[in-house]
Amino acid sequence: MESASALRPLDESILRELPQLSLRIAPLREPVSSRTLSVPSPLEPNASGTREPNNIPNSNSNSGKIPANAKAGLPTVTEFLNAARIRKTELSADSQSNVERPPRPILPAFVNLRALEKFPFSSSFDDDALQGPRKRRRRDPQADSFSEHLQLPIPQAQKEQRPPPFGPFAILNGLNEPPPNAALLPPIEAGSNISQLLTKPSRGGAAVDPGTLVAAHVAISDGQSAAERRDTRLEDILRMSLNVDEDDDPNDNDENVESTNPMDPDEIALAVRKAEDPKNTKALPLHSGQDVPISPKTRGRSRKNVRKWTEEETATLLRGVVKCGIGNWTAILAQPELEFNQRTASNLKDRFRVLCPWAYRTSDPNEAAKQLHDTLANTLLKAKGEGSDETPGKPHLSHIMPSSQGSESISGAEGQAPNPQKPSTSSTVSSTPDTDPGSSSIPQSQSPSSGNSTPAPASKSQTTLASLGIPANVVKSKRRSRRPFTAVEDEALLKGYAVHGFQWTLIQQDSRLNLSHRKATDLRDRFRTKFPHAYRDGGSVNGKAFTNPNQGQGQDSAAGASTPRPHPVNTEQSPSKAYAMTPTPTPNSTTASRNSASRSRHAATPSQSSLGQIDPALLPPPPQSFSEHSMYLPPAAAGALSFSLDDGPGAGAASTVETPWEDNTLAPMIWDELT
DNA sequence: TTAGGGTTAGCA
DNA sequence: TGCTAACCCTAA
């Protein structure tokens, strides 16, 4: 109430300043971060780019309704908008385009000002809305094209044209402020297919309802021209390589959902990448008939370019391993004294794997080191032997086999090796039987290339190795062994994400998730890999950008709410399949219940059934995998989509709508009034 | 503590 | 050899 009274005078005062301020105060009533500027309101499809006065009436009932409410509650906004536009128009004919720009003060369609103002407590929303202008939070110059004309408060964190966040963040924002991004969800027409809406547009763009996502994204782009540009780009790309996608099974949205916003350059890149993906090409007639080069890298390379590893080079590699340790391939490459035939780190790795497969098999570091030494000794001896036999070999050998000094240097270098190895790993090794550097008695059979072959007996003295320039403490990279994520882990990760958002450490530490054996970064990486789009759209996680003040609670609910509970789905990618996140409660009832409320508040709120077109707006664009899940839901069921975690009969839309706002810290959006 | 990006393991 | 994903490093 207070805020309402406070607002009016404020707005009026602002209006009085209009002449001087021009449009600077436009955002007064736009609590939403800059994200809103770049994203169309789902409720007002035409919102961002061309919110012409005459458009408003044309918009659907929702879009029209909101302004109406706003006007009723706080006419100043509308008046201001009109005044601003008028003035702007009067000022310059040129400026008209500017006037039409998104920066225009926009009250998110989903925001019911009246409701907000009625709300007893001051929220962050209010703070943003009221204090924002006061604080002159317009320091961020990133307002692109229109920034030069309009000085709008734009959060620093906002990246231009950032795709709508999905998952926790969408909701997260909603907890403390109105959905930051109206375009979190495209407008949903009555009877529209929610699954389609929730599903990211296919690369072909066909999957997207022009009236929804595409239009929305186009609108959100800061400039129509930019959008068109990207659109053109996309079309080009699609024409080149993606057109076939349309031939894909319509039901097979797994891939399609991956690329979402056709307007998003990232998505374009992704589309390109996908187009080049051998997997895709298999299914693409486009490529099927062609002779092949699938990957760009592959394209430029021919079989004739294959560079076989010579003994010399192999020995050099081993020296590098000795010096830098197994696994530090780039470090080996970086060694000036080790010359390779234009090898890459990957090449070294692969070669070494062939040479010393055991190095990757054994779990015993000591054993690995031992075998490595044996192999090294054999290899070096062999190389030397060959070198002595073959004229050309000798010179190399001298290079390969360091002198005693060389060995010292090696040892020293090793000591300085970037990867300090566990003492245990560096075991001293057995040595090759024979011994002298000069002796090339090692049978060919012992050649390192026979990686599987048993290393030379332990009897080989260490002195031999030393004489060969092989330090006793060859170490294996401290790099942890790879542990592929299991379906269980993935599921836990998703749940953790739903609960904690991008707070990987929290996820990792959440005992209920049993992910403690992974590092936070591991989880992050996994999520990033598994849900690249989601990760991208999720925005900067940890809330630095999206997190609201009361992060804990906010994020929790946000996460739960926003994360459309992945429904069991068949994802094209195996891991995704495994996710099969059933609409079951999270492992921990605590979390589930805790999130339940928030989820119902936000996620469920959107339930189309009760809230009609508006609600979907709160449904964040699901991550691709989620989208996939959603695809299996009947449009009508979409409302329940996200809220599957809400176990219980009422999990559905209706019940969720009724969910109390008790712990809602956000300026409440009174949906009843919106509908 | 996370984001971003580089490196490396492992598979095809 | 290419590619993907797990792992790692480092700036913020």
Side-chain angles (χ1 to χ4, degrees), chain A residues 20-26 88 91-92 94-104 138 141 143-152 222:
Chain A
Q20 294 105 337
L21 294 177
S22 185
L23 294 178
R24 291 164 58 190
I25 36 145
K88 193 70 182 179
L91 291 177
S92 166
D94 288 345
S95 64
Q96 182 172 6
S97 60
N98 294 328
V99 172
E100 296 173 354
R101 290 272 184 170
R104 207 175 282 167
R138 58 185 62 143
D144 294 344
S145 57
F146 52 77
S147 64
E148 49 187 302
H149 302 292
L150 302 177
Q151 298 180 3
L152 298 177
D222 59 1

Side-chain angles (χ1 to χ4, degrees), chain A residues 306-317:
Chain A
V306 172
R307 288 163 282 122
K308 296 193 66 175
W309 281 80
T310 63
E311 289 297 333
E312 167 194 349
E313 201 175 13
T314 299
T316 301
L317 166 62

Side-chain angles (χ1 to χ4, degrees), chain A residues 490-529:
Chain A
D490 284 335
E491 183 170 350
L493 176 57
L494 283 173
K495 290 174 179 176
Y497 171 71
V499 173
H500 301 293
F502 280 12
Q503 297 183 93
W504 310 113
T505 300
L506 291 181
I507 295 173
Q508 190 256 340
Q509 293 173 346
D510 191 331
S511 59
R512 297 165 300 189
L513 298 174
N514 292 321
L515 289 172
S516 58
H517 58 289
R518 298 283 186 177
K519 288 184 177 182
T521 52
D522 294 342
L523 301 178
R524 185 277 315 260
D525 291 340
R526 174 60 176 176
F527 191 87
R528 182 173 57 178
T529 299

Side-chain angles (χ1 to χ4, degrees), chain A residues 294-486:
Chain A
I294 295 173
S295 117
K297 292 179 181 177
T298 308
R299 236 175 263 143
R301 187 177 302 183
S302 65
R303 210 59 192 168
K304 64 183 178 183
N305 292 333
V306 172
R307 288 163 282 122
K308 296 193 66 175
W309 281 80
T310 63
E311 289 297 333
E312 167 194 349
E313 201 175 13
T314 299
T316 301
L317 166 62
L318 293 176
R319 281 192 60 208
V321 170
V322 167
K323 179 175 183 179
C324 302
I326 301 171
N328 296 311
W329 310 117
T330 53
I332 293 172
L333 281 176
Q335 300 301 315
E337 72 271 24
L338 303 179
E339 295 180 2
F340 294 96
N341 182 19
Q342 297 180 333
R343 302 294 182 181
T344 65
S346 183
N347 293 150
L348 301 188
K349 178 260 298 182
D350 290 338
R351 175 57 176 163
F352 186 78
R353 279 179 62 82
V354 172
L355 289 171
C356 310
W358 41 260
Y360 295 88
R361 280 198 228 109
T362 179
S363 58
D364 179 3
N366 292 326
E367 178 63 18
K370 175 183 174 182
Q371 295 192 357
L372 172 61
H373 261 123
D374 290 343
T375 301
L376 285 173
N378 291 340
T379 301
L380 292 176
L381 288 173
K382 176 184 176 184
K384 183 176 180 178
E386 289 182 354
S388 62
D389 292 342
E390 302 172 8
T391 309
K394 276 190 175 180
H396 303 305
L397 191 58
S398 62
H399 172 74
I400 296 167
M401 309 264 307
S403 61
S404 57
Q405 293 88 352
S407 97
E408 287 175 2
S409 66
I410 290 174
S411 299
E414 185 180 7
Q416 302 167 357
N419 12 318
Q421 307 302 331
K422 305 168 191 172
S424 60
T425 48
S426 58
S427 66
T428 333
V429 182
S430 49
S431 33
T432 32
D434 225 79
T435 68
D436 298 53
S439 72
S440 53
S441 60
I442 294 179
Q444 197 76 3
S445 62
Q446 291 182 357
S447 122
S449 52
S450 59
N452 295 330
S453 64
T454 303
S459 62
K460 298 173 182 175
S461 71
Q462 188 174 337
T463 51
T464 300
L465 290 171
S467 66
L468 291 171
I470 302 172
N473 54 341
V474 174
V475 292
K476 198 172 178 179
S477 173
K478 63 180 177 182
R479 193 185 186 91
R480 291 178 294 155
S481 58
R482 286 173 65 98
R483 286 177 301 168
F485 273 78
T486 64

Side-chain angles (χ1 to χ4, degrees), chain A residues 1 16 70 127 144 196 287 307 323 359 418 506 508 537:
Chain A
M1 289 305 184
R16 280 196 295 276
D127 293 343
D144 294 344
Q196 188 176 38
H287 298 287
R307 288 163 282 122
K323 179 175 183 179
L506 291 181
Q508 190 256 340
D537 290 357

